[in-house]
Amino acid sequence: MTLPLTFYTHPMSRGRVARWMLEETGLPYDTVLLDYGTTMKAPEYRAINPMGKVPAIRHVDTVVTENAAICLYLADLVPDQHLAPPVGSAARGPYYRWISFMGPLEQLMTAKASGATLPEPGMAGFGTEYDLLNTLEAALQGRDHLAGDRFTAADLLVSAYVGWYLQFKLLPARPAFERFAALHAQRPAARRAAQIDDQALAQQKAAAGA
């Protein structure tokens, strides 16, 4: 795939997840770094994502936003990389399930980070904190992969989000969470993506202080 692929991000954003996915694909891509409150809210970028937030990718004339959608889209661009289980396989259901499960997890984590009072059971998409965390723990307990027997975008997204929320102490440091996040953070693509974003962040800070 040699068609133009552009990645819009900030090195301290959820774009780190999309960067990791891009590195897993091996596809060539251009990066456009945006700043909060300025270029991220400018008309030029709002033409890409009217929400004025990152990450986003543009593949020729197709724009994809939201990490889950970006991971799903990119995985399908590189079938030979096996980042998505084959359509119709038994692993395809868990693949969709656990990628989508990060939506309720993020709702819960955002509510906790903001200090909001959690809604009554049945009102929130995540159900109850107790059930959500126990469900996630049971899925990760003693397993390296969530969809089949090899690494997929589901493992990437879940381990990235779990690691992120462990870092900010929003998730309890249960052994299953820590193990799963640490396991996949050691992948070459994950380390390469982190290095790219760390360097970009350092350059931004140096430019701001110049």
Side-chain angles (χ1 to χ4, degrees):
M1 201 282 294
T2 58
L3 297 175
L5 181 59
T6 305
F7 174 44
Y8 302 87
T9 189
H10 184 283
M12 277 302 292
S13 74
R14 291 172 177 81
R16 283 183 169 248
V17 180
R19 170 87 72 185
W20 177 6
M21 185 64 189
L22 282 161
E23 290 296 317
E24 289 283 355
T25 68
L27 294 171
Y29 64 94
D30 296 321
T31 300
V32 176
L33 293 177
L34 300 167
D35 289 320
Y36 291 108
T38 56
T39 51
M40 207 178 290
K41 302 298 183 182
E44 292 80 5
Y45 182 61
R46 285 192 184 272
I48 301 296
N49 184 359
M51 295 281 285
K53 67 184 187 72
V54 293
I57 61 169
R58 183 174 60 190
H59 178 218
V60 193
D61 294 326
T62 299
V63 171
V64 186
T65 67
E66 318 312 320
N67 269 323
I70 290 169
C71 286
L72 290 166
Y73 184 86
L74 290 174
D76 286 343
L77 285 184
V78 288
D80 292 345
Q81 298 285 4
H82 305 289
L83 292 168
V87 175
S89 70
R92 194 75 177 193
Y95 172 73
Y96 287 133
R97 177 189 181 185
W98 295 111
I99 286 178
S100 299
F101 196 84
M102 293 302 95
L105 176 67
E106 185 156 28
Q107 291 174 15
L108 172 61
M109 297 296 100
T110 301
K112 290 182 67 174
S114 66
T117 300
L118 298 184
E120 293 295 322
M123 292 185 64
F126 54 77
T128 70
E129 180 176 10
Y130 175 86
D131 286 339
L132 187 149
L133 295 183
N134 287 345
T135 299
L136 181 60
E137 181 179 37
L140 303 183
Q141 188 74 49
R143 299 178 65 183
D144 292 350
H145 305 297
L146 286 163
D149 58 1
R150 65 185 303 157
F151 179 84
T152 68
D155 300 314
L156 186 155
L157 198 70
V158 173
S159 64
Y161 274 65
V162 167
W164 180 269
Y165 292 124
L166 284 171
Q167 178 183 347
F168 289 99
K169 303 187 185 304
L170 293 170
L171 265 182
R174 297 183 183 182
F177 297 163
E178 293 183 315
R179 175 191 170 276
F180 196 81
L183 172 68
H184 297 301
Q186 297 306 309
R187 289 182 61 84
R191 295 166 67 109
R192 189 165 58 248
Q195 183 178 33
I196 293 169
D197 279 322
D198 288 346
Q199 289 176 346
L201 183 61
Q203 290 170 357
Q204 280 191 338
K205 288 181 177 178

